[in-house]
C-alpha cells in the first residue's frame, strides 16, 4: 500500500482528491473515524481554496466537450458508471457501513443498488426529455434544456453515496460537469465512485471530488464565480451561508434541509400499520431527514397506540450494523451523540416523560426513545434532533391535528394513517410538506418531485424537475418561412 491508500473492510481506498482525471494530494489531512468502534479509517486529504480552485478549473475546462457530447453518448457513459457500481456493490456497502454505521444489509440490498439505479434512471430520462412544440400565431415554440456549467454538489453523511448519486446523475446527464464535496465524516465511497467513473470512461474533469471541511473547501467552492449551480443537502444554518455566497454571483441553488415531520394517526387507522410506521422512524438510528419524529395520535386511541408501539420497539435489536439481525446501528459521531443526548436531557428537565429509552448506551449508540408530555412550543418538538428520538402528542379533532402538524418552521414530509379515504385526501391537502405519505412511508420514485417547504428547502428535484434545475431552460421561437413578425 502507498501512503495515499487505506484499507477499509478489505477494500483499498485512495485518500486523495480526484481532480481533472487524476489523484491530487493536499498539504494537510484530517482523520476519518469509524462510528462502529472509534477506529481510524484513514488520513484524508484536506482540501483548501487551492484544491477547490483546481477542481473548478478542471470542471470548467471539461465543460464544453461534455456539454457537446450527444445525449445518447452521455447516457451510455452513465449506464457504464452504473455497471461499475453494480460490480462493486459489496465493496461500496462494506466501506460505507464502516464509515457511517448504517446497516450493512441495507447497503447491500437497497442503498447501493439504488445508487446504480439513480444513474440509469437519469440516463434514460435524458433520452426522453422533451416538450411538445406549440404554436403562437403561426410561430413555432421549441423548448430545450441547455447545460448550465460547472456544478458544486455538497452531500451529507447519513446516506453518503446514495444522496451524492441523486445529485451527480442528473447534473451529468444534463451535460454539466461536477465538483462533489462529500461530508468530512463520510468521504470514502465518494473516492471509490471517482475510480468507478474513471473506469467507466468518464472524461477527465467531468467528475471531480474535493474532500475537506465546509468552512475551507466548501466555502471556496460555493464562492467561485465560475460555478453555475449549487446543490446542497444538510442543515439550515449551512444553507444560509451557502445562499449568501451564491447570491454574490446569482448562482441558482437547490437545498434539501432539515425536517421535523409529523405522523398523524387517526382513530379510524389500522393501528398495527400505524405502529409499524412509527417504529420505522428509528431507521438508520433516526438519522433520516424525512423521519416522522412527531407522533400525533388521536386521544381515543393514544393509550392503545402507545402499548402496541412500545411492544414493537422493544423487539428492535440495536448493535453492530454488520450483523444481519441488527435493526439499529450506532450514531455517526460523538459530537452527534452528545447533541442527541442534550436534546433529551433538556426535554426531560422541562417536564417531558420518557416512555422508552432516553439514555446513551455503550459505544456510539443511543437507545430508541419516545417522549410524551411535551409542549408544542418546546425545543424537542420544534427542533430537528437527527437521532432515534420521537415525541408523542395527542389531538381530539382533525383541525387540531392539522394545526399541530403544520406548527413548525419545517415542511419536508408528513405521514398520515387513516382508514377514511376522504379524510386522507382532505388532510393531506392541508399539510405543509413536500411529500405526504398516506398509510405508507418512504415510498420514493425518481420521477416524482422531491424537496421541502419553508425551512426544509428550496426547489424540487426528480424527473424533469432535476433537469429544470441543472439546465438553462430555453424557448426558441421560429417564424413561418417567408414571414416577418415582431410580436
Amino acid at each position: 500500500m502507498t501512503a495515499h491508500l487505506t484499507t477499509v473492510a478489505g477494500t483499498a481506498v485512495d485518500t486523495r482528491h480526484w481532480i481533472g482525471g487524476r489523484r491530487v494530494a493536499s498539504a494537510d489531512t484530517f482523520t476519518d473515524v469509524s462510528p462502529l468502534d472509534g477506529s481510524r479509517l484513514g488520513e484524508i486529504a484536506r482540501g483548501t481554496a487551492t484544491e477547490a480552485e483546481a477542481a473548478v478549473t478542471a470542471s470548467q475546462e471539461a465543460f464544453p466537450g461534455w456539454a457537446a457530447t450527444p445525449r445518447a453518448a452521455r447516457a451510455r457513459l452513465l449506464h457504464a458508471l452504473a455497471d461499475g457500481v453494480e460490480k462493486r456493490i459489496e465493496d461500496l456497502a462494506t466501506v460505507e457501513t464502516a464509515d457511517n454505521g448504517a446497516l450493512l444489509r441495507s447497503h447491500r440490498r437497497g442503498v447501493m443498488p439504488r445508487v446504480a439505479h439513480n444513474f440509469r434512471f437519469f440516463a434514460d430520462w435524458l433520452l426522453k426529455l422533451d416538450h411538445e412544440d406549440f404554436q403562437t400565431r403561426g410561430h413555432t415554440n421549441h423548448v430545450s434544456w441547455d447545460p448550465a456549467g460547472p456544478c458544486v454538489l455538497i452531500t451529507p453523511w447519513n446516506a453518503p453515496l446514495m444522496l451524492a448519486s441523486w445529485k451527480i446523475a442528473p447534473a451529468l446527464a444534463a451535460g454539466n460537469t461536477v465538483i462533489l464535496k462529500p461530508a468530512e465524516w463520510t468521504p470514502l465511497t465518494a473516492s471509490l465512485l471517482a475510480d468507478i467513473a474513471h473506469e467507466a470512461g468518464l472524461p477527465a474533469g467531468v467528475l471531480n471530488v474535493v474532500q475537506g471541511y465546509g468552512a475551507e473547501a466548501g466555502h471556496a467552492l460555493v464562492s467561485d464565480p465560475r460555478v453555475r449551480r449549487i446543490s446542497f443537502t444538510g442543515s439550515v444554518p449551512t444553507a444560509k451561508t451557502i445562499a449568501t455566497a451564491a447570491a454574490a454571483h446569482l448562482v441558482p441553488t437547490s437545498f434539501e434541509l432539515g425536517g421535523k415531520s409529523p405522523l398523524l394517526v387517526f382513530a379510524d387507522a389500522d393501528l398495527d400499520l400505524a405502529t409499524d410506521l412509527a417504529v420505522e422512524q428509528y431507521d438508520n438510528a433516526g438519522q433520516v431527514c424525512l423521519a416522522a419524529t412527531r407522533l400525533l395520535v388521536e386521544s381515543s386511541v393514544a393509550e392503545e397506540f402507545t402499548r402496541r408501539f412500545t411492544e414493537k420497539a422493544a423487539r428492535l435489536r440495536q448493535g453492530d450494523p454488520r450483523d444481519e439481525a441488527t435493526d439499529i446501528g450506532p450514531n455517526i459521531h460523538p459530537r452527534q451523540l452528545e447533541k442527541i443526548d442534550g436534546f433529551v436531557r433538556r426535554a426531560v428537565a422541562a417536564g417531558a416523560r420518557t416512555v422508552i429509552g432516553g439514555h446513551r448506551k455503550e459505544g456510539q449508540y443511543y437507545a430508541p426513545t419516545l417522549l410524551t408530555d411535551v409542549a408544542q412550543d418546546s425545543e424537542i418538538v420544534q427542533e430537528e434532533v437527527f437521532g432515534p428520538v420521537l415525541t408523542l402528542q395527542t389531538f381530539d379533532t382533525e383541525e387540531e391535528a392539522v394545526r399541530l402538524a403544520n406548527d413548525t418552521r419545517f415542511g419536508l414530509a408528513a405521514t398520515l394513517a387513516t382508514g377514511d379515504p376522504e379524510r386522507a385526501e382532505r388532510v393531506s391537502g392541508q399539510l405543509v410538506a413536500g411529500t405526504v405519505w398516506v398509510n405508507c412511508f418512504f415510498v420514493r420514485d425518481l420521477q416524482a418531485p422531491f424537496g421541502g417547504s419553508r425551512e426544509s428547502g428550496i426547489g424540487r428535484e426528480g424527473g424533469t424537475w432535476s433537469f429544470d434545475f441543472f439546465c438553462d431552460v430555453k424557448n426558441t421561437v421560429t417564424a413561418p418561412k417567408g414571414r416577418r413578425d415582431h410580436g
Side-chain angles (χ1 to χ4, degrees):
M1 289 290 171
T2 71
H4 299 299
L5 289 176
T6 187
T7 301
V8 178
T11 297
V13 183
D14 201 305
T15 58
R16 295 171 292 180
H17 314 284
W18 180 256
I19 298 173
R22 64 185 183 89
R23 290 292 176 177
V24 175
S26 288
D28 201 0
T29 63
F30 62 93
T31 303
D32 185 25
V33 176
S34 175
L36 303 187
D37 53 13
S39 62
R40 172 186 164 278
L41 295 176
E43 294 299 317
I44 312 301
R46 179 173 172 174
T48 64
T50 299
E51 290 80 15
E53 194 280 333
V56 177
T57 296
S59 185
Q60 185 183 42
E61 291 174 351
F63 173 67
W66 182 244
T69 301
R71 285 187 178 189
R74 292 204 301 266
R76 282 195 298 271
L77 284 169
L78 291 181
H79 275 289
L81 205 165
D83 291 341
V85 168
E86 289 176 343
K87 289 175 184 176
R88 300 199 64 182
I89 279 179
E90 184 64 19
D91 291 344
L92 294 166
T94 54
V95 169
E96 190 144 296
T97 290
D99 210 11
N100 88 328
L103 300 183
L104 180 56
R105 71 167 190 257
S106 296
H107 279 143
R108 282 173 171 158
R109 300 170 193 170
V111 176
M112 297 310 163
R114 176 60 181 265
V115 170
H117 174 67
N118 286 346
F119 286 108
R120 296 197 191 284
F121 173 88
F122 285 107
D124 293 341
W125 199 268
L126 168 67
L127 297 182
K128 63 182 181 181
L129 183 66
D130 193 23
H131 189 292
E132 185 177 350
D133 289 352
F134 56 97
Q135 300 295 310
T136 303
R137 299 192 303 275
H139 296 63
T140 301
N141 292 264
H142 176 74
V143 177
S144 58
W145 286 261
D146 292 353
C151 300
V152 168
L153 312 179
I154 302 177
T155 51
W157 45 259
N158 59 321
L161 193 58
M162 195 277 286
L163 292 176
S165 64
W166 160 255
K167 298 176 186 295
I168 295 169
L172 293 182
N176 299 315
T177 50
V178 163
I179 308 103
L180 172 67
K181 211 294 282 181
E184 59 266 27
W185 286 350
T186 53
L188 299 180
T189 48
S191 181
L192 292 178
L193 183 66
D195 293 335
I196 293 169
H198 177 62
E199 292 164 6
L202 211 64
V206 171
L207 173 64
N208 306 275
V209 179
V210 176
Q211 300 153 158
Y213 296 108
E216 298 172 353
H219 177 72
L221 287 170
V222 300
S223 301
D224 196 305
R226 297 170 294 176
V227 169
R228 295 317 311 147
R229 294 292 186 275
I230 299 170
S231 180
F232 168 73
T233 298
S235 71
V236 172
T238 301
K240 291 179 179 179
T241 299
I242 293 172
T244 299
H249 307 294
L250 295 178
V251 180
T253 59
S254 175
F255 292 151
E256 195 263 279
L257 308 176
K260 197 66 181 177
S261 301
L263 165 56
L264 291 77
V265 179
F266 287 91
D268 57 18
D270 177 335
L271 286 189
D272 276 334
L273 170 64
T275 48
D276 283 343
L277 292 173
V279 172
E280 192 177 348
Q281 308 310 311
Y282 291 131
D283 182 49
N284 200 22
Q287 298 168 146
V288 178
C289 56
L290 294 162
T293 57
R294 295 185 295 132
L295 310 181
L296 305 177
V297 184
E298 192 161 353
S299 298
S300 61
V301 295
E303 183 176 349
E304 177 64 15
F305 174 91
T306 304
R307 183 187 68 79
R308 297 191 194 194
F309 174 88
T310 53
E311 288 179 356
K312 291 178 179 179
R315 294 195 289 269
L316 292 173
R317 181 169 175 174
Q318 190 168 24
D320 191 328
R322 296 166 294 189
D323 186 333
E324 282 280 317
T326 297
D327 298 304
I328 302 176
N331 290 99
I332 183 71
H333 193 275
R335 194 188 311 162
Q336 184 66 17
L337 195 67
E338 179 61 33
K339 176 184 173 184
I340 295 165
D341 192 47
F343 270 112
V344 174
R345 285 187 286 105
R346 290 190 297 274
V348 171
R353 180 170 63 88
T354 304
V355 179
I356 61 171
H359 58 86
R360 296 185 184 190
K361 302 175 76 172
E362 185 178 354
Q364 283 182 208
Y365 295 84
Y366 202 88
T369 297
L370 177 64
L371 301 174
T372 191
D373 297 341
V374 292
Q376 178 62 24
D377 62 355
S378 64
E379 177 191 54
I380 197 68
V381 170
Q382 294 293 324
E383 298 298 327
E384 185 177 44
V385 177
F386 222 61
V389 178
L390 309 181
T391 60
L392 190 151
Q393 299 167 269
T394 61
F395 63 85
D396 294 314
T397 67
E398 186 176 298
E399 292 73 21
E400 184 184 10
V402 171
R403 178 180 60 78
L404 291 173
N406 288 338
D407 187 21
T408 74
R409 60 194 174 94
F410 297 106
L412 187 55
T415 303
L416 172 62
T418 178
D420 184 344
E422 292 183 358
R423 167 175 277 155
E425 182 177 359
R426 186 170 59 246
V427 172
S428 62
Q430 298 176 69
L431 296 175
V432 179
T435 301
V436 178
W437 286 288
V438 178
N439 295 324
C440 60
F441 177 67
F442 217 57
V443 178
R444 293 278 303 276
D445 192 310
L446 284 176
Q447 64 184 319
F450 176 75
S453 303
R454 295 176 175 167
E455 290 196 19
S456 285
I458 295 174
R460 295 292 183 270
E461 296 181 33
T464 300
W465 288 276
S466 285
F467 288 94
D468 287 346
F469 172 70
F470 282 114
C471 291
D472 291 322
V473 183
K474 177 193 293 179
N475 185 43
T476 301
V477 184
T478 304
K481 187 176 180 180
R483 176 176 171 180
R484 296 184 178 183
D485 193 333
H486 297 291

